[in-house]
Structures are given as C-alpha cells and as structure tokens.
Amino acid sequence: MKNPRFAAPGIVLGAVMLAASIWSADAQDKSEGKSEDKPQASAESIWPTKEWQTSTPEEQGMDSAALAKLVAFGTSRSLDSLLIARHGRIVLDAYYAPYAADIPHVINSATKAVIGTLTGMAVKDGLLDSPDRKMLDFFADRGVADLDDRKKAITVQNLLDMTSGIDWREPMDGPFVTFFEMERSADWVKFILDRPMSNTPGDLFNYNSGNPHLLSAILTKLTGMSTSDYAKARLFGPLGIRDWNWRRDPQGVSTGGNGLALLPRDMAKIGYLYLRHGEWEGKTLVPPAWIEKASHATINMNMKSGPDLRYSNFFWALPNKNVYMAVGYHNQVIMVFPALDIVVVTTARDFYSLGLMVNYITDAVKSGTALAPAPDGAGVLANAIRDVSTEKPSEVGATPETAAAISGKTYTFPGNGLGVKSLSLTLTGPQPRIDFEFYNRDPGAPSRRVGGPIGLDGLYRRGDATQVGIAAVKGSWLNDHTFVIQRLILGAGAAEQKYTLSFDDEKLNLRGTDWNGRDVSIDGGAWRKS
C-alpha cells in the first residue's frame, strides 16, 4: 500500500466537468426496457477477493463482436482501461498502451463514492448513529465563522446528497473556483466550515467537493484513524485491495473529494460489492438500505444535458434505467447495472458520453444465460484488445547536429503558465534522458524534480513515479532546431502534455498548453552543464 502526501496538480480535479455530450436523450433511449431490479440470472457466489475469474463473453450471455466495437470506441475517447464483469466473472479487460494493468489510476471524484461507502460502513459499525446527525456535532472543538441556523441544520445526509447549502462554486462545466480556493488554503476543513450559506440544507443540489472532505474528517474523528487506514481495515482489506494511493490535506486528512488511486480491477471490486447489495464472502459490509439509496437516488442534479440524472450517497443514478455509478473527472467510472448483473469500469484521459457507454453495454447483452460459442467474434475481440494494448510508434525525424550541442545543458525559465522551471535533455549515448523541474503551486514550497528516459524511436519510455502516476516520455526532431516532447503521466487521467522546443544557440523557446487549454510560450536560456 502506498499513501504519499502530495500537493494537488491541476490534473486531479474534485469536480466532474460535463458537457452536453456526456449524456444525451438519444443515448438514453436505447437502454429502455432493461430497468428491472431483478438480475437476469442468479449468479453463483463468486468472490474475487484474491483474484477475478475470467470468462468468454458468450458464456455470460454477451456478444464478443459487439464488445470489440466498444474496445474500438475506447481508442477514440482516450480510454486507459475498460473492464466489464458479468455474473462475477470478467468478460472484457482491456488496457490502452502505454497504460498498463499494474499502474494505480486516479479516480478523481469517484473518490467521493468511496467516502460514501465508508460512511455507510461507519453506520453499520455503530460509529455513526444516524446520517441525520448534525454535521457540526463533530466539530464542536472548532470556532465556525458565519454560523447561523441554516449551517447548524446541516446533516451528514445533506453532505452525502450535495444538498448542504454551503456557498460553493464548483459547476460541472467549470470553473472550479471554490475548489481551488480550498486547495490553496492552509486548513481545508476550516475553509469549508467557515464558508457562508447560500441555501437551506436539503433544498438544492450543488456540487461541492468540500462536502465529502468534511465527511473524511468526520470519519477520522469517529474511527480514531485516517480515512485511508479505516478503508484498509474495513473495505480494502476484506475486498483484497492492496495497492492504492490516497492524497492528504495539510492536516493529514485523506482527501474526500478526489485523490484516491486504484487499480481498475480493484475499482471493479467496489462496484461488485454494490452489485451484491453490500455483501462480501457471506458478510454484510455495507447496509443493503445504503446501497438501495444510492441505486434509487432521488436528488435531482438539475442538469440540462441529463435531466433524469439523480444523486445520493455520492453516487450518480438513472433509476429509470437501473444504472448507477461513481463518476470522476475525465470519466473515471464504476458503473453498476443491477438488472443485467454487470459492473463496468473505465479509466480515461478525456470525456466520453456516459449514455453511449450504456448503449454499448446493453446492446452487447443478448441473454441472461450462456450463448453458443462464437469463435469468429472471439477472434475479433481478441484482436481488438491486442491492438489497443500494443503501442504504435509515431514518426521520428532525422537526428541533427543540434542534438549533441544541446545535450547535457540545463535550460531555466522564469515563472510561467506551464509550471516548468528548468529542463535538461541528454540525447546522445545509449540512454537518452529528460529531466524536468516544476514550480510548486505553493510559492513557499520547494520545486518538484521529475526525470527519466525518453524514447527517440517513436515509443514512450517509462520513467520516475510522479505524485499521481508514472511519467512516460518520447521525443522527435521536426527539423534541425525544433524538438517535440510528448509526455504522459500514466494513471493520472490527464491528456498528453506536448512541448515544442525551438533552439537558438544558448536560447530555448518552449511552447505548450496549460491545464486550462491555453497556449503558452516562454523563453529560457542555458546556464550550466548537468
């Protein structure tokens, strides 16, 4: 288990940005007619604690050829992984190169669903007497600003439902103003508690990553241990989850709104726990009523692009479609289909339509019981998985004399929107390498150094582990003086970073895109040999 403390980069966002394409009415229509609560087939008692069992799709009533189309869809939507389990067995497990199955992946706001799950477990364990307890009961030792009757009325359930009424600007289409203000504050819990009220608790859904962070602090008080350690003892341990990362705030509280990283197969275990109504290996870990509240959520999310979306216990739901899910920025998703006895997990570096994903899944289901073997379809699916898991080299240009001239030099830059403080390349010899130094978002904190190999053959090379994943870098010459760097943080759920370097004697112009999508151009110079 890994559990480092680190500052939050822009790629780990607590809110979930949704455009109109995320959920469309047309996409929803195809899942009509499959909304019964009762599973199509009663599954055996299969528990993937040690490892998941696997199966062909046809053995579980699904069509391999249809799933092959879904794998291809994932390529166009920057998926890192795609997993489908039916009747307790994995029927599809695809990893899109250069991401691989052994790298924990940030789940962004799907962390909230884990916080909700742990809250339900605290109720079962007798640590929390009721979700109707007043939130401020747990912070009696703190002075709270802007204290009024509305703030006094906030309950734990209001936090779980995003109806706390706390004044908070974190709209799903951005910008995440209050979220970033919280992250820049010295004490996140104090920042949240001191916010003024904008609504009466329970009146209005308003997405707020402060709500789950308060719950993480409450869990810490109730259990006498960090939320991460409580998860290890009561959730991750029983489910056989051994590899995870979880951020902490400046006071050491496990972040509630984001910051958890899990392996995709372990994400699926959490979905499977919900699919089995909170039971695991014959023991009830989460109260079934807690699962029921999430799967049949009633809080209107008030989304024009998804008018049927509901919310509760930090889960999104479409009760009339019998689909509910944990959702994180850039579509880190754990999707549960109770009627189909299916769990779907995706990790990604960009958004896709949730409705379209539902279509692909439901269209691939042909029966509640086994189908006849389909060798042709199985071959198509195997080829599709093999194709996406194999990295394809990009074109590389000829190596100019400039490569030797700039190798070993360190170029430094003043403060800039890319956050790059210095850059050094070693492009000659048998082990090409790149070393970055990044400014810290906290001006008082030291800069961050990240380095490792760089591929010059059109393929990524894995390097050092960063705060949120593993750096993978490749580079190519466009002409005698222009070198392009492509950098991925595997497992970070973020788009590829692309830097264009233009060399002019001892000067270097660096161009790239910041986290807000704006083009940035900065000038630096060489000052020493590495």
Side-chain angles (χ1 to χ4, degrees):
M1 186 274 288
K2 307 166 190 173
N3 191 13
R5 174 180 173 182
F6 51 84
I11 54 179
V12 183
L13 298 177
V16 182
M17 182 184 294
L18 288 176
S21 62
I22 291 295
W23 196 278
S24 67
D26 290 342
Q28 294 179 45
D29 289 342
K30 291 188 179 181
S31 62
E32 292 284 7
K34 295 184 178 181
S35 61
E36 301 88 353
D37 285 343
K38 186 178 180 181
Q40 291 185 359
S42 57
E44 305 170 36
S45 296
I46 297 173
W47 304 109
T49 309
K50 293 184 179 180
E51 63 181 357
W52 281 93
Q53 296 184 30
T54 60
S55 169
T56 67
E58 278 70 25
E59 288 172 340
Q60 307 307 321
M62 300 187 76
D63 180 29
S64 290
L67 293 180
K69 295 178 181 178
L70 177 54
V71 172
F73 166 78
T75 302
S76 65
R77 297 303 188 273
S78 298
L79 288 193
D80 281 333
S81 69
L82 170 63
L83 182 152
I84 300 173
R86 191 173 198 212
H87 304 328
R89 294 175 172 86
I90 289 178
V91 299
L92 172 59
D93 195 17
Y95 298 88
Y96 294 72
Y99 181 72
D102 62 341
I103 303 173
H105 202 290
V106 296
I107 64 173
N108 294 334
S109 283
T111 302
K112 295 175 172 69
V114 177
I115 292 291
T117 303
L118 293 171
T119 304
M121 300 181 86
V123 171
K124 182 184 179 299
D125 290 346
L127 300 173
L128 176 63
D129 56 358
S130 169
D132 294 328
R133 274 286 297 275
K134 297 294 190 291
M135 175 268 290
L136 287 178
D137 288 352
F138 303 100
F139 301 102
D141 57 334
R142 287 179 175 262
V144 177
D146 285 309
L147 186 60
D148 60 15
D149 288 342
R150 293 186 298 178
K151 187 174 289 188
K152 292 177 182 178
I154 299 172
T155 66
V156 167
Q157 191 63 57
N158 293 145
L159 300 178
L160 289 160
D161 290 343
M162 294 292 185
T163 59
S164 66
I166 295 173
D167 184 51
W168 198 274
R169 291 179 58 198
E170 194 179 342
M172 293 189 180
D173 56 354
F176 313 124
V177 176
T178 314
F179 171 80
F180 286 123
E181 290 176 352
M182 177 189 72
E183 292 231 335
R184 289 192 295 267
S185 70
D187 185 330
W188 293 14
V189 171
K190 175 178 171 55
F191 175 87
I192 303 162
L193 291 174
D194 286 349
R195 296 290 300 172
M197 298 292 291
S198 59
N199 297 99
T200 299
D203 276 4
L204 183 68
F205 174 90
N206 183 41
Y207 200 83
N208 174 353
S209 291
N211 291 331
H213 194 67
L214 287 181
L215 269 175
S216 183
I218 290 171
L219 287 169
T220 300
K221 288 175 176 285
L222 291 173
T223 64
M225 63 183 79
S226 71
T227 300
S228 179
D229 285 344
Y230 183 57
K232 178 182 179 180
R234 299 294 290 118
L235 178 62
F236 296 163
L239 269 58
I241 296 174
R242 298 179 179 85
D243 195 2
W244 74 92
N245 306 321
W246 204 327
R247 290 180 57 218
R248 293 176 288 178
D249 76 2
Q251 280 65 49
V253 176
S254 303
T255 52
N258 61 16
L260 176 60
L262 293 168
L263 297 173
R265 285 195 170 204
D266 289 339
M267 294 169 66
K269 289 181 180 181
I270 293 173
Y272 193 65
L273 174 66
Y274 273 76
L275 189 64
R276 293 289 167 258
H277 308 290
E279 181 183 345
W280 198 269
E281 292 192 339
K283 298 180 180 179
T284 298
L285 302 185
V286 184
W290 197 269
I291 308 290
E292 181 75 9
K293 190 171 182 62
S295 62
H296 292 82
T298 59
I299 305 299
N300 192 334
M301 295 178 69
N302 300 314
M303 291 179 59
K304 292 181 180 179
S305 58
D308 295 328
L309 280 168
R310 297 295 181 265
Y311 198 90
S312 190
N313 288 358
F314 297 137
F315 274 82
W316 302 38
L318 278 163
N320 59 329
K321 310 295 180 184
N322 208 270
V323 180
Y324 64 104
M325 64 203 87
V327 182
Y329 185 85
H330 274 172
N331 283 52
Q332 323 311 324
V333 175
I334 304 170
M335 193 176 286
V336 182
F337 295 76
L340 302 180
D341 202 30
I342 287 175
V343 172
V344 177
V345 167
T346 66
T347 61
R349 291 174 282 113
D350 204 349
F351 296 106
Y352 62 76
S353 164
L354 293 172
L356 195 55
M357 178 63 68
V358 170
N359 287 350
Y360 274 113
I361 300 302
T362 56
D363 288 350
V365 174
K366 305 302 180 183
S367 172
T369 56
L371 302 172
D376 291 344
V380 171
L381 178 58
N383 288 336
I385 294 173
R386 187 180 306 112
D387 181 65
V388 300
S389 65
T390 304
E391 186 181 353
K392 284 79 173 174
S394 55
E395 292 186 12
V396 294
T399 303
E401 295 180 359
T402 306
I406 61 98
S407 280
K409 293 182 178 179
T410 296
Y411 294 85
T412 61
F413 305 91
N416 57 82
L418 299 178
V420 178
K421 186 174 184 179
S422 70
L423 170 66
S424 176
L425 286 164
T426 301
L427 301 181
T428 55
Q431 296 181 321
R433 180 178 177 86
I434 184 169
D435 289 280
F436 282 98
E437 182 180 10
F438 290 98
Y439 288 98
N440 199 300
R441 288 177 60 187
D442 179 356
S447 57
R448 298 181 291 108
R449 296 179 182 272
V450 180
I454 180 171
L456 302 179
D457 56 357
L459 298 174
Y460 287 100
R461 294 293 187 278
R462 282 198 196 185
D464 296 347
T466 73
Q467 297 165 333
V468 289
I470 297 175
V473 188
K474 63 181 178 180
S476 176
W477 289 95
L478 289 183
N479 54 49
D480 288 350
H481 300 283
T482 305
F483 186 72
V484 176
I485 298 169
Q486 293 169 265
R487 182 173 184 260
L488 278 173
I489 307 299
L490 304 179
E496 178 185 76
Q497 299 165 304
K498 185 176 181 180
Y499 301 103
T500 302
L501 286 62
S502 297
F503 296 94
D504 182 8
D505 293 329
E506 297 296 291
K507 298 179 181 179
L508 172 61
N509 174 260
L510 176 64
R511 300 190 303 279
T513 303
D514 68 13
W515 295 115
N516 294 313
R518 296 173 297 205
D519 293 331
V520 177
S521 177
I522 54 177
D523 294 313
W527 71 281
R528 70 173 185 269
K529 290 281 185 179
S530 298

